Amino acid sequence: MKKFSFLALFLSITITAFSQGNNYVQNYNKYENLALTPPMGWNSWNKFACNVDENMIRQIADAMVSTGMKDAGYTYINIDDCWHGGRDSLGFIYPDPVRFPSGMKALADYIHSKGLKIGIYSDAGSQTCGGRPGSRGYEFQDALTYAAWGIDYLKYDWCNTEGLKAEGAYKTITAALRRAGRPIVLSICEWGNDKPWEWGPQVGHLWRTTGDIYNCFDCIKDHGTWKAFGVMQILDKQDGLRRYAGPGHWNDPDMMEIGNGQLTPAEDRAHFSMWAMLAAPLIAGNDIRSMDKETQEVLTNKDVIAVNQDSLGVQGFKHETRDSVETWLKPMKNGAWAVCFLNRSTKVKSIEFNWQEKPIVDELSKRELNTAVRQYKMKNLWTKKDAGTTKKVLKATIQGHDVLMLALTEIK
Ligand code: GLA
């Protein structure tokens, strides 16, 4: 008996030591149970580009709490490109000592003390898009550093990756994060080049589906070697991708431009509503320290956020387009639906929508909006008013570039 237990102890120690010590066996799967609903937070890039420093980031964390954004569900404070200083003599990355004199660990501690989480940015190539040190060849070392700092979210970009295969490069950083041992959300930022929706769900929690967003509602910005896309152009590029999204793995149509000065209040509403319908990550990209009331109300509209954060995690779909007005639907838990009428023209449009006309069937979620079987009561998610029931034809006017967004709940 004694002999047997010695043997068992010996075997279990050997097996444990062997499996932990074998660095050739890697785990290429993301950490599970992170991002079960689309991540919500803030990112520095759209407003500040390379102009990031620890004082600003601390103030953003403060504002996240004081503006009610944290209460509305925003969690991540993500520092994008250009925080980097260089690599030390052993190759370990350190932040810019002038912009981040207290270091990243202190900043992470501060953000955590507010009940928030911290995100950082790197790149699969030799350099980031902003010309800072990339992680290529340093993946495991960087992952160890991020874990030691207390990082919760990594956006991993795709500049300067000539000759690399995207799936392999992202699997490498995932393996490195796994080995470092701290659960970190991985945001794949590969711009949709190599169909990240096909391999991304195992490797990361969200993947960019397109090139960068541009701060306009309906335009394309040609930068010469690359193009950036307005809100409507990004929306159109999501076509066909909804089946790849779900709890823990999301299509990412890029960070929001709400409050960055180029969109009208109607366009801000439309942008936010559509990101909610797409079950997109809600990453604010404005200066939340000084945003006006209108912007704050858009970003913290709890009813619209509830559509985005619905636990079913089904991305919405475009049902039809009539005279420049698109009708989008999103199935939600407890038999509910979100419906959003998006007026893409600059002119006021009158709509009439007859819920009785024919059932709307969503093959993906196996859900049906069929008023012959069930009626719904409706709430306008922007005015917060009761919007009647599906028993009557819906009649409304929608301003140019605005939305009418409704939540439909079953009448029992
Ligand atoms: C790329 C990304 C952007 C941003 C910049 C930073 O363009 O797509 O979201 O991170 O790099 O340089």
Side-chain angles (χ1 to χ4, degrees), residues 77-109:
I77 308 270
N78 295 346
I79 310 167
D80 207 278
D81 207 347
C82 304
W83 58 267
H84 319 70
R87 294 193 179 278
D88 68 14
S89 59
L90 298 177
F92 287 102
I93 191 84
Y94 57 83
D96 182 324
V98 175
R99 291 177 174 272
F100 295 88
S102 317
M104 282 299 172
K105 173 76 170 67
L107 190 53
D109 287 348

Coordinates of all heavy atoms in Angstrom, one line a residue, residues 77-109:
I77 N -10.0 50.9 -20.4 CA -9.3 52.1 -20.8 C -8.1 51.6 -21.6 O -7.1 51.0 -21.1 CB -8.7 52.8 -19.6 CG1 -9.8 53.1 -18.5 CG2 -8.0 54.1 -20.0 CD1 -10.6 54.4 -18.7
N78 N -8.2 51.8 -22.9 CA -7.2 51.2 -23.8 C -6.2 52.2 -24.4 O -6.7 53.2 -25.1 CB -7.9 50.5 -25.0 CG -8.7 49.3 -24.5 OD1 -8.5 48.8 -23.4 ND2 -9.6 48.7 -25.3
I79 N -5.0 52.0 -24.1 CA -3.9 52.9 -24.6 C -3.5 52.4 -26.0 O -3.0 51.2 -26.0 CB -2.7 53.0 -23.7 CG1 -3.2 53.3 -22.2 CG2 -1.7 54.1 -24.2 CD1 -2.1 53.1 -21.2
D80 N -3.7 53.1 -27.0 CA -3.3 52.6 -28.4 C -1.9 52.9 -28.6 O -1.0 52.9 -27.7 CB -4.3 53.3 -29.4 CG -4.5 52.5 -30.6 OD1 -3.6 52.5 -31.5 OD2 -5.5 51.8 -30.7
D81 N -1.5 53.1 -29.9 CA -0.1 53.2 -30.3 C 0.6 54.3 -29.6 O 0.0 55.3 -29.1 CB -0.1 53.5 -31.8 CG 1.2 53.0 -32.5 OD1 2.1 52.7 -31.8 OD2 1.2 52.9 -33.7
C82 N 2.0 54.2 -29.5 CA 2.9 55.3 -29.2 C 3.1 55.4 -27.7 O 3.7 56.4 -27.2 CB 2.5 56.6 -29.8 SG 2.3 56.5 -31.6
W83 N 2.7 54.5 -26.8 CA 3.1 54.5 -25.4 C 4.5 54.0 -25.2 O 5.1 54.2 -24.1 CB 2.1 53.6 -24.6 CG 2.1 52.2 -25.0 CD1 1.3 51.6 -25.9 CD2 3.0 51.1 -24.6 NE1 1.6 50.3 -26.1 CE2 2.6 50.0 -25.3 CE3 4.1 51.1 -23.7 CZ2 3.3 48.7 -25.1 CZ3 4.7 49.9 -23.5 CH2 4.3 48.7 -24.2
H84 N 5.1 53.4 -26.2 CA 6.3 52.7 -26.1 C 7.5 53.6 -25.9 O 7.6 54.7 -26.5 CB 6.6 51.8 -27.3 CG 5.4 51.1 -27.8 ND1 4.4 51.8 -28.5 CD2 5.1 49.8 -27.9 CE1 3.4 50.9 -28.8 NE2 3.8 49.7 -28.5
G85 N 8.5 53.2 -25.1 CA 9.8 53.8 -25.0 C 10.7 53.0 -25.9 O 10.9 53.3 -27.1
G86 N 11.3 51.9 -25.4 CA 12.1 51.1 -26.2 C 12.3 49.7 -25.6 O 11.4 49.3 -24.8
R87 N 13.3 49.0 -26.0 CA 13.6 47.7 -25.3 C 14.9 47.8 -24.5 O 15.8 48.5 -25.0 CB 13.7 46.6 -26.4 CG 12.4 46.3 -27.1 CD 12.4 45.0 -27.9 NE 11.1 44.9 -28.5 CZ 10.0 44.4 -27.9 NH1 10.1 43.9 -26.7 NH2 8.8 44.3 -28.5
D88 N 14.9 47.2 -23.3 CA 16.1 47.3 -22.5 C 17.2 46.3 -23.1 O 16.9 45.6 -24.1 CB 15.8 47.1 -21.1 CG 15.4 45.7 -20.7 OD1 15.5 44.8 -21.6 OD2 14.8 45.5 -19.6
S89 N 18.3 46.2 -22.4 CA 19.4 45.4 -23.0 C 19.0 43.9 -23.1 O 19.6 43.2 -23.8 CB 20.6 45.5 -22.1 OG 20.3 45.1 -20.8
L90 N 18.0 43.5 -22.3 CA 17.5 42.1 -22.4 C 16.4 42.0 -23.4 O 15.8 40.9 -23.5 CB 17.1 41.6 -21.1 CG 18.3 41.6 -20.0 CD1 17.7 41.1 -18.7 CD2 19.4 40.6 -20.5
G91 N 15.9 43.0 -24.0 CA 14.8 43.0 -24.9 C 13.5 43.3 -24.3 O 12.5 43.2 -25.0
F92 N 13.4 43.5 -23.0 CA 12.1 43.8 -22.4 C 11.6 45.2 -22.8 O 12.4 46.2 -22.8 CB 12.1 43.6 -20.9 CG 12.2 42.2 -20.5 CD1 13.5 41.7 -20.1 CD2 11.1 41.4 -20.5 CE1 13.5 40.3 -19.7 CE2 11.2 40.0 -20.1 CZ 12.4 39.5 -19.7
I93 N 10.3 45.3 -23.2 CA 9.8 46.6 -23.6 C 9.5 47.5 -22.3 O 9.2 47.0 -21.3 CB 8.4 46.3 -24.4 CG1 7.9 47.6 -25.0 CG2 7.3 45.8 -23.5 CD1 8.5 47.9 -26.4
Y94 N 9.7 48.8 -22.5 CA 9.4 49.7 -21.4 C 8.6 50.9 -22.1 O 8.8 51.2 -23.2 CB 10.6 50.2 -20.6 CG 11.7 50.8 -21.4 CD1 11.6 52.1 -21.8 CD2 12.8 50.0 -21.8 CE1 12.7 52.7 -22.5 CE2 13.8 50.6 -22.6 CZ 13.7 51.9 -22.9 OH 14.7 52.5 -23.7
P95 N 7.8 51.6 -21.3 CA 7.0 52.7 -21.8 C 7.9 54.0 -21.9 O 9.0 54.0 -21.3 CB 5.9 53.0 -20.8 CG 6.5 52.4 -19.5 CD 7.4 51.3 -19.9
D96 N 7.5 54.9 -22.7 CA 8.2 56.2 -22.9 C 8.3 56.8 -21.5 O 7.4 57.1 -20.8 CB 7.3 57.1 -23.8 CG 7.9 58.4 -24.1 OD1 8.6 59.0 -23.2 OD2 7.6 58.9 -25.2
P97 N 9.6 57.0 -21.1 CA 9.8 57.5 -19.7 C 9.4 58.9 -19.5 O 9.2 59.3 -18.3 CB 11.3 57.4 -19.6 CG 11.9 57.3 -20.9 CD 10.8 56.8 -21.8
V98 N 9.2 59.7 -20.6 CA 8.8 61.1 -20.4 C 7.2 61.1 -20.3 O 6.7 61.8 -19.4 CB 9.3 62.0 -21.6 CG1 8.7 63.4 -21.5 CG2 10.8 62.0 -21.6
R99 N 6.6 60.4 -21.1 CA 5.1 60.4 -21.1 C 4.5 59.5 -20.0 O 3.4 59.7 -19.6 CB 4.6 59.9 -22.5 CG 4.9 60.9 -23.6 CD 4.4 60.4 -24.9 NE 4.6 61.4 -26.0 CZ 3.6 62.3 -26.2 NH1 2.5 62.3 -25.6 NH2 3.9 63.2 -27.2
F100 N 5.2 58.4 -19.6 CA 4.7 57.5 -18.6 C 5.8 57.3 -17.5 O 6.3 56.2 -17.3 CB 4.4 56.2 -19.2 CG 3.2 56.2 -20.2 CD1 3.5 56.5 -21.6 CD2 1.9 56.1 -19.8 CE1 2.4 56.7 -22.5 CE2 0.9 56.2 -20.7 CZ 1.1 56.5 -22.0
P101 N 6.2 58.4 -16.8 CA 7.3 58.4 -15.8 C 7.0 57.4 -14.7 O 7.9 56.9 -14.1 CB 7.4 59.8 -15.4 CG 6.1 60.5 -15.7 CD 5.6 59.8 -16.9
S102 N 5.7 57.2 -14.3 CA 5.4 56.3 -13.2 C 5.4 54.8 -13.6 O 5.3 54.0 -12.8 CB 4.1 56.6 -12.6 OG 3.9 58.0 -12.4
G103 N 5.4 54.6 -14.9 CA 5.4 53.2 -15.4 C 4.0 52.6 -15.6 O 3.1 53.2 -15.0
M104 N 4.0 51.6 -16.3 CA 2.6 51.0 -16.6 C 2.0 50.3 -15.4 O 0.8 50.2 -15.3 CB 2.8 50.0 -17.8 CG 2.9 50.7 -19.1 SD 1.4 51.6 -19.5 CE 1.9 52.5 -21.0
K105 N 2.8 49.7 -14.6 CA 2.2 49.0 -13.4 C 1.4 50.0 -12.5 O 0.3 49.7 -12.1 CB 3.4 48.3 -12.6 CG 2.9 47.6 -11.3 CD 2.2 46.3 -11.6 CE 2.0 45.5 -10.4 NZ 1.1 46.1 -9.4
A106 N 2.1 51.1 -12.3 CA 1.4 52.2 -11.5 C 0.1 52.6 -12.1 O -0.9 52.8 -11.5 CB 2.3 53.3 -11.2
L107 N 0.1 52.8 -13.5 CA -1.1 53.2 -14.2 C -2.2 52.2 -14.1 O -3.3 52.5 -13.9 CB -0.7 53.5 -15.6 CG -1.7 54.3 -16.5 CD1 -2.3 55.5 -15.8 CD2 -1.1 54.6 -17.9
A108 N -1.7 50.9 -14.3 CA -2.7 49.8 -14.2 C -3.3 49.8 -12.8 O -4.5 49.6 -12.7 CB -2.0 48.5 -14.6
D109 N -2.5 49.9 -11.8 CA -3.0 49.9 -10.4 C -4.0 51.0 -10.2 O -5.1 50.8 -9.6 CB -1.9 50.1 -9.4 CG -1.0 48.9 -9.3 OD1 -1.4 47.8 -9.8 OD2 0.1 49.0 -8.7

